[in-house]
């Protein structure tokens, strides 16, 4: 895929705040440390607070089958403390953790053994190993200071503390009063240099519950999981960020530690800090606390498997006890590709606001859906452009689908009007300005783009590229990508109560009576 | 109004130095942090007359302003005294429909399509809504478009025409939402739990299609006519303007709107009663969704500060709280565990604790919940716990005011909700004054484990455990919504 080279641009356009909106000054100061860590700082003194974001250039797309969900599980684990935080006697914890790890191996083997179709044993072995592990975890508890990292941050006024993992990156973020910069620098550097994955196996269970919550028992979660799993054949975007259930049952602490050592090094980090700080001071503190952490010895592994061209339409029905909903995905290029921003424009033309084509046609005029939303992505690797629709009662998936295709075809043939294109341009300009409003939002924007394409100034290039998108570009991309052969359709269907449901239902009724007496 | 210096480092030094920690063995990291020097952070709680300007037009419209010249943007947020608490059960859907269609149904001078087109072309937005206890309207534009923005904002508030086709569209959206209301376990339990606690009071009533169906344009026109007058509205502006100029502009547009006295219907009171028992709703899912709680306090209750900290220790502080620590961290039973004790409700708010765990461990999670309810009632929390809670609120206070929009909206809300003017000035002292004994006292007074409403949405065919120890078990039928 072609990527355009980053232009050397003069970015600090001088100005007063009241000049034309295009001239808004975005005074980003940058520094790359000798261990490779990249820092972006915007000083802003409106409130005595700052927002900080550490972004690791690793996400679920860097996983392999067998350890899916590891990037996210690791994110959870990095709240569990270090040799210095979360423990009152690290040395005493070590032998207990070693014993737990040994049992975990046995447990993993026992689970795998029980998955063999020829297995005829019971669950005794698995159960007893689980009990032994739980006992050891209890024993370790006397040395553990529960959630000390989290508690310390909150106690010092931390706001919006959290972390998130996606396909492309993992980020840890917080806002703090501005006099707590050193506290932040210490805690973040400590979790990079001395992490201890204590309470690993109970946290793995927590993540399994997160999967149940977000995917297994959520109509939209279920739908997207199947959309991605179907649309992608080879790309590592095919598995969910939270991981497959079977991997969450068996992934070992050492595998997660291995993942950490491959990807969590200063040369794979972008830090963005926005707010009431001084650039020089930030550089000094980061040097003090992160400076000694060596870069990784081996280069950070890259993802090599790429999605082959799709050879025909794919469809997947997902049986789930909810009213119908549907999602359509078309393969689209990665962020930075010459045409990526055309997809952003198309998604706005189709579904942004009440004048957008899909809203007007499907929600207002035909009234076949309650909502419809198109989304394009700025991803590390080729992704899918999606349209998600919630059909109204009485309309089939096919009817809604055809209504969507009709609008896409119309747009492809006639192209967007000048008014529509200008509307989209104006909105994208305003989005950019609104994105600068909060410290947190700006830290997000900067770290995200820096991590994905290696230069935050691509934000400004992207703005120009988007402004330059023409009606012909829209027509060309629609013709090239929004084809039947390039799309995947996923939709929910209610379980067939006639066949599968009824006998279960009867059992349930009996059960009620039994329990309620 | 008194100026108030807010010194974060002083707060910390004071607390950390004065306390011999109960836990003698500390982490190496915490000792290092104790030796860090945090510079003094002084900061004034924003007040009217300084950061924020308040003015009242002759027609009674109350205006708040804060200037923020950093970016070429202007936002306005309006509060209108109205809401479904003034309506009978049958009419409760009118408020919501009116709130939406005020914006989507066009105005005297702008058709629905032209309003949409103008706003979207200038990348601006106006959105409205009416909830239980207030109506709200928001405007956001680039500052160069403020004249047009104000004109449209005024049109929407003053002259909505409630185009019939848009009323019908909104009704059909609501109909579909009713039809889909059992799709997600989380929405089932929120709705049914509130309904059990509040019955048909607007805090818990469930809107049915047969109440929505007979609503037409006339109802919304009448609803709007009843409440939308300048003397019943407050608007907070923030952004790239000079307050003096902005007042002039607003006078020009909103000044011609005549005041009108409004007769407010009586507000139904929440019946203070407990619906104890275990209520189980069957759904074919692999994770039990659990919610436990009962009615709590009104916002004028002087114990609200102690209750806030008590709840933080119990389950409000997420990871630092007891419920999360045991259910999630110790036993790995759930991803999300939390308790909420509402302290900002005009009438009785609710206390509730919730989680989701696989069906097999649902009973275990409930056991832990009840053990912790008893613990916090029966014994004093540790000093460390109280300090942690207190410092968290004190040091986090600044984030309630970390953007101009936040500042002006908070000060407007104080007035809308009849809070004392010095609410934020006394906030820190109120938090500081809470003692260990206060925590136990309010836990004893306001937590009632014996009268809890326990609700669970779960696959009852795999729910093996007997839950009767938590109260009498009732199975609630999840009715198919009627939408014909």
């Amino acid at each position: 895929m072609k990527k355009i080279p980053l232009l050397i641009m003069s970015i600090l356009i001088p100005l007063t705040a009241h000049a034309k909106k295009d001239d808004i000054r975005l005074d980003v100061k940058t520094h790359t440390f000798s261990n490779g860590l990249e820092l972006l700082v915007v000083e802003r003194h409106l409130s005595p607070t700052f927002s900080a974001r550490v972004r690791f250039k690793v996400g679920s797309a860097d996983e392999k089958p067998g350890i899916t969900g590891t990037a996210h599980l690791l994110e959870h684990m990095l709240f569990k403390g270090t040799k210095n935080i979360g423990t009152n006697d690290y040395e005493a914890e070590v032998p207990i953790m070693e014993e737990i790890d040994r049992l975990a191996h046995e447990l993993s083997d026992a689970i795998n053994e029980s998955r063999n179709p020829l297995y005829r044993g019971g669950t005794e072995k698995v159960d007893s190993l689980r009990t032994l592990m739980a006992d050891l975890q209890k024993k370790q508890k006397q040395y553990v200071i529960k959630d000390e990292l989290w508690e310390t941050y909150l106690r010092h006024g931390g706001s919006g503390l959290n972390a998130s993992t996606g396909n492309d990156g993992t980020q840890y973020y917080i806002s703090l009063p501005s006099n707590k910069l050193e506290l932040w620098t210490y805690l973040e550097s400590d979790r990079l240099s001395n992490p201890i994955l204590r309470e690993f196996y109970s946290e793995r269970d927590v993540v399994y519950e997160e999967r149940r919550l977000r995917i297994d028992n959520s109509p939209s979660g279920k739908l997207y999981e199947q959309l991605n799993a179907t649309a992608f054949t080879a790309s590592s975007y095919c598995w969910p960020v939270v991981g497959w259930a079977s991997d969450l049952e068996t992934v070992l602490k050492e595998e997660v530690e291995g993942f950490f050592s491959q990807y969590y090094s200063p040369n794979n980090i972008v830090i963005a800090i926005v707010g009431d700080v001084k650039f020089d001071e930030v550089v000094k503190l980061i040097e003090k606390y992160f400076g000694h952490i060596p870069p990784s010895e081996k280069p950070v592994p890259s993802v090599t498997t790429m999605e082959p061209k799709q050879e025909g339409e794919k469809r997947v029905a997902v049986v789930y006890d909810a009213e119908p909903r549907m999602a359509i995905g078309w393969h689209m290029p990665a962020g930075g590709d010459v045409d990526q921003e055309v997809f952003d424009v198309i998604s706005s033309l189709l579904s942004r606001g009440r004048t957008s084509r899909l809203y007007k046609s499907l929600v207002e005029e035909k009234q076949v859906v309650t909502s419809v939303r198109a989304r394009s992505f700025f991803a590390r690797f080729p992704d899918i452009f999606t349209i998600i629709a919630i059909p109204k009662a009485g309309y089939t998936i096919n009817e809604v689908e055809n209504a969507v295709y009709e609008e896409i075809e119309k747009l492809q043939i006639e192209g967007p009007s000048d008014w529509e294109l200008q509307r989209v341009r104006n909105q994208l300009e305003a989005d950019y300005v609104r994105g600068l409003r909060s410290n947190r939002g700006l830290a997000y924007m900067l770290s995200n783009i820096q991590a994905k394409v290696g230069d935050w100034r691509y934000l400004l290039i992207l703005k120009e590229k988007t402004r330059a998108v023409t009606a012909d570009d829209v027509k060309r991309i629609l013709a090239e990508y929004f084809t039947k052969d390039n799309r995947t359709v996923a939709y929910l269907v209610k379980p067939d109560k006639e066949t599968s449901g009824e006998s279960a239902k009867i059992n349930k009724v009996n059960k009620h009576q039994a329990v309620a007496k | 109004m008194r100026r108030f210096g807010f010194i974060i480092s002083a707060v910390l030094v004071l607390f950390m130095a004065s306390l011999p920690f109960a836990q003698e063995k500390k982490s190496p990291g915490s000792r290092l942090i104790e030796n860090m020097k945090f510079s003094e952070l002084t900061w004034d709680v924003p007040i009217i007359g300084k950061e924020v300007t308040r003015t009242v037009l002759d027609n009674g419209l109350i205006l708040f302003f804060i200037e923020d010249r950093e970016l070429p943007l202007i936002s306005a947020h309006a509060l209108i005294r109205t809401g479904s608490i003034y309506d009978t059960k049958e009419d409760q859907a009118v408020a919501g429909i009116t709130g939406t269609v005020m914006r989507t149904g066009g105005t005297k001078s702008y058709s629905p399509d032209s309003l949409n087109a103008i706003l979207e072309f200038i990348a601006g937005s106006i959105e409205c809504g009416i909830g239980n206890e207030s109506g709200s309207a928001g405007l956001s534009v680039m500052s160069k478009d403020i004249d047009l923005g104000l004109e449209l904002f005024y049109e929407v508030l003053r002259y909505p025409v409630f185009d019939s086709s848009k009323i019908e569209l909104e009704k059909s959206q609501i109909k579909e939402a009713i039809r889909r209301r059992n799709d997600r376990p989380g929405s089932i339990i929120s709705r049914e739990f509130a309904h059990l606690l509040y019955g048909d009071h607007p805090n818990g009533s469930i809107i049915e299609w047969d109440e929505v169906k007979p609503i037409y344009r006339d109802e919304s026109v009448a609803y709007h006519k009843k409440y939308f007058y300048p003397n019943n509205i407050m608007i907070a502006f923030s952004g790239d303007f000079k307050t003096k100029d902005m007042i002039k502009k607003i006078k020009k547009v909103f000044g011609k709107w005549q005041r009108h006295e409004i007769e407010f219907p009586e507000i139904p009171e929440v019946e203070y009663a407990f619906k104890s028992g275990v209520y189980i709703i069957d759904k074919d899912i692999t994770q039990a969704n659990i919610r436990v709680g009962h009615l709590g306090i009104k916002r004028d209750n002087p114990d609200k500060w102690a209750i806030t900290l008590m709840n933080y220790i119990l389950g409000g502080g997420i990871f630092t709280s007891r419920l999360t620590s045991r259910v999630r961290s110790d036993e790995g039973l759930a991803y999300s565990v939390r308790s909420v004790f509402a302290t900002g409700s005009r009438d009785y708010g609710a206390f509730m604790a919730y989680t989701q765990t696989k069906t097999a461990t649902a009973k275990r999670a409930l056991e832990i919940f009840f053990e912790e309810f008893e613990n916090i009632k029966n014994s004093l929390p540790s000093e460390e716990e109280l300090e942690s809670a207190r410092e968290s609120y004190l040091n986090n206070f600044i984030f309630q005011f970390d953007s101009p929009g936040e500042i002006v909206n908070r000060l407007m809300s104080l007035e809308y909700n009849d809070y004392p003017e010095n609410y934020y000035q006394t906030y820190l002292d109120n938090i500081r004054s809470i003692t260990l004994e206060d925590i136990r006292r309010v836990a004893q007074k306001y937590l009632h484990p014996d009268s809890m409403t326990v609700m669970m949405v779960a696959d009852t065919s795999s729910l093996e455990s007997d839950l009767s120890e938590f109260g009498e078990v009732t199975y609630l039928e999840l009715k198919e919504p009627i939408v014909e």
Side-chain angles (χ1 to χ4, degrees), chain A residues 346-353 356-359 372-374:
Chain A
I346 291 172
S347 80
S348 277
L349 290 167
L350 287 178
S351 82
R352 178 165 183 175
S356 66
R357 287 177 175 239
L358 289 176
Y359 182 86
V372 55
R373 182 164 183 220

Side-chain angles (χ1 to χ4, degrees), chain B residues 62-63 79 93 98 151 156 162 188 259 280 295 320 323-324 361 376 389 414 422 432 458 460:
Chain B
I62 302 173
L63 301 168
L79 286 175
T98 305
E151 175 61 31
V156 167
F162 300 102
I188 296 171
R259 71 160 65 227
I280 300 176
L295 291 185
T320 60
L323 292 180
T324 310
T361 45
I376 202 157
L414 277 191
N422 65 351
R432 280 192 195 106
T460 52

Side-chain angles (χ1 to χ4, degrees), chain A residues 235-279:
Chain A
S235 164
S236 47
Y237 285 169
C238 84
W239 53 79
V241 171
V242 73
W244 295 119
S246 52
D247 287 346
L248 290 178
E249 274 179 343
T250 51
V251 69
L252 295 168
K253 193 174 118 202
E254 64 192 50
E255 289 174 302
V256 178
E257 285 167 341
F259 196 80
F260 175 91
S261 61
Q262 277 180 302
Y263 294 98
Y264 274 59
S265 49
N267 45 311
N268 208 30
I269 304 181
V270 174
I271 291 179
I273 296 184
V274 180
D276 184 29
V277 294
K278 293 202 184 82
F279 176 64

Side-chain angles (χ1 to χ4, degrees), chain B residues 79 159 341 345:
Chain B
L79 286 175
Y159 295 119
F341 206 127
S345 314

